[in-house]
């Protein structure tokens, strides 16, 4: 294969990747709603794993995605079982504008016990995430998988790592 053909093939591949992204930026941002579930491995007053669920709203901004979410899980700690709610926001950078879109994100929110003997009250939580969104052509839905690590409290005295899979609409 000649150098000229290789250059042409690389140029066509680049155009296929860049043109859809440029066209997408010219349109109005379309928010998507995701329902995710998985496992949270936590270190609070004791350690353990619990089922985790979250409702997430993704809003495309210029070069990033703004995500608002509310997560919930129950932790069976040394002091008893508590239910926690985690409202938070993240900014996520999508690495590729294709059907398979890996991303990384950073954000913050609050970690709040809504039932049980937990003494935590409202605490700050900082989080980082890495994941992938996969578009499903023709039906307007998608799949996503993510790992999100969070520090809880002003000194990050608690922590949790969430492993989730979900559907986007």
């Amino acid at each position: 294969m000649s150098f000229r053909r290789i250059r042409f093939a690389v140029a066509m591949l680049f155009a296929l990747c860049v043109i859809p992204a440029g066209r997408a930026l010219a349109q109005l941002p379309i928010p998507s709603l995701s329902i995710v579930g998985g496992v949270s491995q936590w270190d609070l007053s004791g350690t353990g794993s619990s089922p985790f669920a979250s409702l997430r709203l993704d809003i495309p901004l210029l070069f990033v995605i703004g995500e608002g979410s509310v997560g919930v899980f129950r932790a069976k700690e040394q002091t008893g079982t508590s239910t926690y709610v985690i409202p938070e926001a993240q900014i996520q950078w999508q690495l590729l504008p294709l059907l398979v879109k890996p991303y990384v994100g950073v954000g913050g929110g609050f970690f709040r016990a809504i039932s049980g003997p937990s003494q935590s009250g409202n605490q700050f939580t900082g989080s980082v995430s890495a994941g992938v969104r996969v578009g499903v052509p023709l039906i307007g839905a998608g799949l996503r998988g993510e790992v999100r690590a969070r520090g809880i409290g002003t000194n990050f005295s608690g922590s949790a790592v969430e492993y989730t899979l979900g559907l986007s609409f």
Side-chain angles (χ1 to χ4, degrees), residues 23-47:
R23 198 177 314 148
L25 290 175
Q27 298 175 358
L28 292 175
I30 299 173
S32 68
L33 185 65
S34 299
I35 299 170
V36 301
V39 174
S40 176
Q41 292 182 330
W42 42 266
D43 182 359
L44 302 167
S45 66
T47 60

Side-chain angles (χ1 to χ4, degrees), residues 65-68 88-92 103-108 127-129 146 148-149:
I65 292 181
E67 179 194 87
E88 71 176 328
Q90 272 203 347
I91 296 292
Q92 298 171 344
Y103 64 90
V104 294
V106 63
S127 63
V128 294
S129 64
E146 182 182 274
R148 189 172 293 204

Side-chain angles (χ1 to χ4, degrees), residues 51-74:
F52 177 86
S54 183
L55 186 62
R56 297 183 173 156
L57 178 65
D58 298 334
I59 301 173
L61 304 171
L62 288 175
F63 299 105
V64 296
I65 292 181
E67 179 194 87
S69 71
V70 177
V72 64
F73 75 99
R74 291 178 56 90

Side-chain angles (χ1 to χ4, degrees), residues 94-161:
Q94 263 183 192
L95 306 176
L96 297 172
L98 303 172
L99 288 177
V100 177
K101 304 170 195 136
Y103 64 90
V104 294
V106 63
F110 292 97
F111 190 83
R112 177 157 177 81
I114 58 170
S115 73
S118 175
Q119 305 291 325
S120 67
N122 247 352
Q123 292 189 27
F124 170 77
T125 179
S127 63
V128 294
S129 64
V132 64
R133 291 180 179 89
V134 178
V136 180
L138 304 175
I139 64 171
L143 306 170
R144 68 186 291 166
E146 182 182 274
V147 174
R148 189 172 293 204
R150 68 177 69 254
I152 302 164
T154 54
N155 297 327
F156 295 144
S157 56
S159 64
V161 177

